Amino acid sequence: MKYLMSLLLLLLVTACGSASLEEHRGTQPELKLEHFFDGKLKAYGIVLDRSGNLLRRFEVDLVANWQGDNGEIKEWFEFDDGEKSTRIWQLKRVADNQYEGQAGDVMGIAKGRTQGSALFWQYDLDIVVDGETYQVTLDDWMFLLDERRLFNKTDMSKFGFKVGEVILYIEKI
């Protein structure tokens, strides 16, 4: 019985702590992926473990372009340990403020929605750790600071438990 009560309390506490996209209604500048992710961009990021300890640093070169409602973002990652990787996103604006995307290491379709200067983007991603591949869920929040700069905070979870976090700064160049 104690175990059940503890589990219910944990679920209640975690449900109350989630961010809401509606809180960003009317914030400026308004984030439109097809406007910000257009041309050349540069990103700088860190990966933290579930306790907030720094695991890795990385930089990303991005090239993005849109044709109507369809976009492509090419990302070239370089990590502080020398690892390099590439991800190519195929994006689609499916409705006002709603986007979908696919990439080679994304399982299924990523879905996102903007409100004011914020985007909430959610998807499952395959990541490789010590030669093993794991599928994790990413809750990705982007916040447009101004027309040239964006901050990104991503929580990574497995079976509903946080396993890590990515913090990223992206700027147009």
Side-chain angles (χ1 to χ4, degrees), residues 1-10:
M1 183 65 168
K2 275 185 173 182
Y3 175 74
L4 181 59
M5 292 302 287
S6 296
L7 182 60
L8 288 173
L9 181 60
L10 176 65

Side-chain angles (χ1 to χ4, degrees), residues 127-159:
I127 61 170
V128 178
V129 178
D130 297 328
E132 295 287 326
T133 301
Y134 300 93
Q135 188 173 326
V136 294
T137 298
L138 277 66
D139 289 341
D140 210 352
W141 283 94
M142 295 183 190
F143 302 97
L144 188 60
L145 181 62
D146 57 35
E147 297 301 323
R148 291 189 54 244
R149 298 176 291 180
L150 180 139
F151 287 95
N152 183 201
K153 178 185 177 299
T154 304
D155 287 332
M156 296 182 292
S157 62
K158 181 81 174 161
F159 305 120

Side-chain angles (χ1 to χ4, degrees), residues 34-89:
E34 60 271 27
H35 294 146
F36 183 79
F37 289 100
D38 186 35
K40 292 183 179 183
L41 302 105
K42 181 76 174 184
Y44 306 89
I46 57 174
V47 180
L48 307 171
D49 68 14
R50 68 176 173 234
S51 299
N53 297 309
L54 180 65
L55 295 175
R56 303 176 90 181
R57 293 177 178 90
F58 62 94
E59 292 185 12
V60 188
D61 290 313
L62 301 93
V63 175
N65 62 69
W66 287 79
Q67 299 292 323
D69 289 337
N70 297 302
E72 179 180 75
I73 302 174
K74 295 178 181 178
E75 303 173 321
W76 293 274
F77 293 82
E78 186 168 349
F79 292 87
D80 58 351
D81 62 4
E83 180 187 343
K84 294 181 180 183
S85 65
T86 302
R87 177 176 299 125
I88 299 175
W89 282 98

